Amino acid sequence: MEEKGNNSKITLGISSCLLGQEVRFDSSHKHNRYITDSLGEYFQFQAFCPEVAIGLGIPRPAIRLVKVSNDVRVRGVKDPEQDVTDAIKDYSRQAAKLCTELSGYIFKSKSPSCGMERVKIYSEKGDPLDNGPGLYAQGIMQQYPFLPVEEEGRLMDAHLRENFIERVFVYHRWQQYQNTLTPASLVEFHSRHKFTVLAHDEKVYRELGRLVADAGKADLKQLGKNYMSLLMTAMNQLATTKSHTNVLQHIMGFFKDKLSSEDKQELLSVLDDYRLGKLPLIVPVTLIKHYLRLYPDDYIASQYYLNPHPKELMLRNRI
Ligand code: SF4
């Protein structure tokens, strides 16, 4: 089941039941209001229900992951003879062809088809043995290893939510660049994401710098793939209060000599309060942007770190 909305927004794949579609095994839905009401302002959704797509019907008998020898199968809970493993794998390959324009995917947790991770895997006798990804989600993630993915439950965590949306915007910007990549455009893309990467992973930040320095010499297509792989590896690391403080101090270094001693003291005090968890990230970032309006710097102004996603989503108000 696929459904598309208007074309002006970034597109996310999503499990249909999270949009309120009554497609679950018991004809219910798992409508998530944060996704449709808040994220829906900025993203359009392409919905997939793999179990309905393979013809299981609504309602339908429940299925689950079952370990059979070294394989994980998807079988009926009541009728172990029912095995839809191959049908779900086939559908996952078909659906992946429709996902080329997606900039992220929100999966329904705990589903043997859609769960991103930690879905229960049972023994053939029905005892819980282990856990792993749902079979459909696993197929999509294998086809698109860099695609930002998340589950609806984890989106309720402020840090995971901010990280997912930031990854979506980085990935989406890369999608705009990748087809017309030149050494110069790679350097520009990297330059504008430097502080973003630094906030997530200092080691990868240095590796990316070395990679981009070779932009004129290496095979550009391969270089682009290597760049994306490293970039998304970094973005998958949660930025910490310490790493954000480090980045903010770096940025402050670009204009601190222009500040009066009172302004400098105020900024340092706000940074310290953020470091100690007394203020959210939005406060020092807003103050820095204020000083950048007074003392413009083109390089800092170009950094996506200062405007990673729409401020109306208020993602930095709680981290
Ligand atoms: S979790 Fe996936 S398979 Fe299950 S109802 Fe939702 S969209 Fe369909």
Side-chain angles (χ1 to χ4, degrees):
M1 180 178 294
E2 299 87 37
E3 176 186 284
K4 284 195 98 163
N6 83 59
N7 285 325
S8 60
K9 299 176 179 177
I10 292 176
T11 309
L12 301 180
I14 193 163
S15 299
S16 306
C17 53
L18 294 174
L19 294 183
Q21 295 179 17
E22 294 169 338
V23 290
R24 298 189 75 225
F25 71 100
D26 58 0
S27 313
S28 67
H29 59 75
K30 281 285 178 183
H31 188 183
N32 184 298
R33 291 252 166 231
Y34 174 72
I35 293 173
T36 54
D37 299 357
S38 297
L39 297 186
E41 289 281 316
Y42 299 92
F43 303 99
Q44 62 179 343
F45 301 107
Q46 187 166 343
F48 299 85
C49 178
E51 292 178 21
V52 170
I54 63 169
L56 288 181
I58 312 167
R60 57 187 173 272
I63 53 177
R64 65 183 172 191
L65 299 179
V66 180
K67 188 152 192 187
V68 182
S69 301
N70 286 328
D71 200 11
V72 174
R73 313 287 303 175
V74 187
R75 289 187 169 173
V77 174
K78 288 202 173 139
D79 175 13
E81 295 295 309
Q82 183 197 17
D83 188 316
V84 293
T85 313
D86 295 339
I88 289 192
K89 280 187 178 170
D90 283 350
Y91 178 68
S92 168
R93 282 189 283 272
Q94 280 175 41
K97 292 182 193 147
L98 304 172
C99 294
T100 52
E101 302 297 316
L102 302 185
S103 302
Y105 205 123
I106 303 174
F107 289 111
K108 170 73 190 74
S109 60
K110 298 180 186 157
S111 155
S113 307
C114 289
M116 183 184 87
E117 60 182 20
R118 288 198 280 270
V119 182
K120 272 193 190 139
I121 302 173
Y122 294 85
S123 71
E124 288 186 78
K125 285 184 181 161
D127 302 317
L129 270 187
D130 203 351
N131 60 61
L135 212 63
Y136 165 77
Q138 185 179 37
I140 298 295
M141 292 188 290
Q142 280 169 351
Q143 292 279 327
Y144 294 92
F146 309 132
L147 184 72
V149 293
E150 199 41 280
E151 290 185 333
E152 88 290 357
R154 287 166 47 98
L155 284 178
M156 297 306 107
D157 177 289
H159 289 89
L160 297 176
R161 178 166 65 224
E162 196 274 340
N163 177 259
F164 174 64
I165 301 299
E166 189 182 25
R167 281 187 286 141
V168 166
F169 275 92
V170 168
Y171 188 87
H172 182 69
R173 286 192 289 268
W174 179 255
Q175 286 174 307
Q176 320 296 305
Y177 269 75
Q178 65 179 352
N179 291 332
T180 53
L181 200 64
T182 63
S185 67
L186 179 62
V187 169
E188 188 207 353
F189 181 90
H190 179 63
S191 173
R192 299 190 68 186
H193 288 87
K194 273 189 177 177
F195 287 127
T196 301
V197 180
L198 184 59
H200 287 268
D201 192 322
E202 193 166 349
K203 186 167 161 272
V204 173
Y205 167 80
R206 288 203 208 94
E207 282 181 58
L208 283 174
R210 285 194 289 273
L211 203 70
V212 171
D214 278 343
K217 305 171 208 154
D219 173 64
L220 203 56
K221 207 169 169 196
Q222 189 55 47
L223 188 68
K225 273 190 193 158
N226 296 347
Y227 181 86
M228 189 53 177
S229 168
L230 272 176
L231 176 66
M232 296 317 284
T233 301
M235 295 306 299
N236 282 334
Q237 302 294 319
L238 283 188
T240 62
T241 304
K242 192 174 166 201
S243 63
H244 278 304
T245 305
N246 177 37
V247 168
L248 294 169
Q249 284 167 341
H250 262 75
I251 294 177
M252 189 182 158
F254 280 79
F255 60 84
K256 71 170 190 256
D257 293 343
K258 296 171 184 157
L259 299 182
S260 68
S261 59
E262 291 82 14
D263 287 346
K264 201 185 293 179
Q265 267 320 309
E266 186 200 15
L267 183 51
L268 285 171
S269 156
V270 164
L271 268 181
D272 219 36
D273 282 350
Y274 164 68
R275 185 179 63 79
L276 295 169
K278 296 180 189 168
L279 290 173
L281 180 57
I282 188 72
V283 179
V285 168
T286 303
L287 191 54
I288 281 178
K289 282 159 82 170
H290 163 74
Y291 286 126
L292 281 168
R293 276 193 295 277
L294 296 179
Y295 311 110
D297 181 291
D298 287 347
Y299 174 64
I300 298 297
S302 76
Q303 291 298 311
Y304 286 115
Y305 177 81
L306 293 173
N307 298 293
H309 29 59
K311 64 179 186 310
E312 291 80 5
L313 283 171
M314 298 196 291
L315 298 169
R316 285 179 159 179
N317 297 44
R318 296 180 62 191
I319 64 169

